[in-house]
Amino acid sequence: MAELTRSQSFFIRHEFGIRRLHSLLGVVPLGLYMCVHLVTNASLLGGTAPFQRAVYMIHSLGPALPIVEWGGIFLPLLFHAIIGVWIIRTGKSNTSRYPYTANKRYTWQRWTGLIAFVFLMFHILHLQGWFHFSPWLAVMRPLGFAQFYPYNAASSLASAMDEWVWGFWPAFYLIGVMATVYHLANGLWTAGITWGLWTSPAAMQRATKVCTVFGVLLAMVALAAWWAAVSPGPADIANAREKEQEMYDAAVATGLAYDDPHKRAGDDHAVPPSEDGIEAIIVEETIIVAPDSQ
């Protein structure tokens, strides 16, 4: 028998704890965040204002926002994905020999996990750009990535969905979101098995019904969020931009938003003008001095 590599040996020695941590992170914080994220995006169906207010509340964290993003979303996502790939590589599917529903769900869980990870990586790149420092964004934005501006949330999101031809982004997001919804809903069921919450056949059947209802409801919310992002036309985007300008002025005045031009869409907001492009206008003034009356 070939000798185990050091990494394989580590995973095998700590498999019990790693699998439970992998399962837990898939539910909290990743699953919880996904639900909040989809509900927030679906609020765009109610107009620009509720969606923009929600984005303002998120970005009111200021300098703490990157810490929350990396600590509560990106690092747990990377861990969950890496361990998920390891589970796929070490696990064996017996669907061909035992074509039962549970076995098919196990196979779908693995495939939707891979699709969801690819989707989320491109989703973050497409809208956020992965990293926020200026030299990186200066390269990504001309390529059609990092297209989301928090202070123009509705208009920049809708514009980003129409960035590539042949409806690529809408189709990509629809497939990715549905795969992610299934992965979460079925993952709740498998998490219950991992943590020993339901072990009897009757308990598993009840859990299946609950997770199915949850998955259907979340899929409806996801479809609403997807449609709210892909359906606006040019006139809708222009109207949203006007509303966002009004809300931005009010948010800065009340302290809800920071005066950060890099979070606003458009060259007139996102990029400060250079001195070379400024034209000086000289206005001659004639000053008339009235003589003192003695």
Side-chain angles (χ1 to χ4, degrees):
M1 181 180 294
E3 184 179 355
L4 292 174
T5 65
R6 184 172 302 177
S7 60
Q8 288 174 326
S9 177
F10 175 83
F11 281 119
I12 291 175
R13 291 199 310 271
H14 303 280
E15 182 176 1
F16 181 86
I18 289 175
R19 282 182 176 270
R20 274 149 186 78
L21 182 58
H22 169 265
S23 176
L24 178 63
L25 292 178
V27 179
V28 180
L30 296 178
L32 180 61
Y33 171 75
M34 177 183 169
C35 294
V36 174
H37 185 59
L38 290 177
V39 170
T40 300
N41 284 16
S43 68
L44 184 54
L45 285 178
T48 301
F51 182 54
Q52 186 62 64
R53 279 195 294 268
V55 176
Y56 276 144
M57 293 299 296
I58 295 172
H59 283 261
S60 64
L61 294 173
L65 181 59
I67 300 175
V68 174
E69 288 178 335
W70 280 96
I73 303 173
F74 299 147
L75 291 180
L77 175 61
L78 290 174
F79 177 86
H80 188 79
I82 292 171
I83 300 303
V85 171
W86 172 71
I87 292 175
I88 291 174
R89 288 177 59 86
T90 56
K92 295 182 179 180
S93 176
N94 58 0
T95 306
S96 59
R97 289 181 296 170
Y98 304 100
Y100 301 122
T101 301
N103 289 343
K104 292 180 179 179
R105 284 168 50 184
Y106 173 76
T107 301
W108 296 339
Q109 184 72 3
R110 298 195 300 175
W111 279 108
T112 55
L114 291 174
I115 295 172
F117 179 67
V118 173
F119 162 69
L120 291 174
M121 289 296 99
F122 274 96
H123 168 52
I124 297 170
L125 177 64
H126 178 214
L127 296 183
Q128 306 292 344
W130 286 347
F131 307 104
H132 296 302
F133 53 89
S134 298
W136 172 261
L137 295 177
V139 175
M140 289 294 104
R141 281 176 176 158
L143 298 176
F145 300 113
Q147 295 298 302
F148 181 74
Y149 293 87
Y151 291 171
N152 295 98
S155 62
S156 64
L157 175 60
S159 298
M161 288 299 174
D162 196 33
E163 189 70 22
W164 284 11
V165 295
W166 303 319
F168 172 81
W169 284 123
F172 177 79
Y173 272 75
L174 181 60
I175 296 172
V177 168
M178 289 297 102
T180 307
V181 168
Y182 176 86
H183 191 74
L184 174 59
N186 192 64
L188 289 175
W189 188 86
T190 58
I193 300 295
T194 301
W195 287 89
L197 299 179
W198 35 79
T199 55
S200 67
M204 291 181 185
Q205 290 180 358
R206 290 192 296 268
T208 298
K209 294 178 181 179
V210 172
C211 293
T212 300
V213 172
F214 169 77
V216 171
L217 293 177
L218 188 60
M220 294 173 62
V221 175
L223 286 174
W226 174 80
W227 181 250
V230 304
S231 62
D236 300 316
I237 294 175
N239 292 334
R241 185 65 61 87
E242 293 180 3
K243 182 63 177 179
E244 289 159 357
Q245 180 62 44
E246 297 176 3
M247 297 184 67
Y248 174 76
D249 295 335
V252 171
T254 58
L256 180 60
Y258 296 92
D259 186 10
D260 188 349
H262 297 286
K263 293 186 177 183
R264 303 182 67 191
D267 293 338
D268 53 336
H269 298 308
V271 180
S274 61
E275 294 182 359
D276 296 336
I278 299 177
E279 296 182 359
I281 301 176
I282 301 176
V283 179
E284 294 184 359
E285 294 183 356
T286 302
I287 301 176
I288 301 175
V289 180
D292 295 336
S293 57
Q294 298 292 337

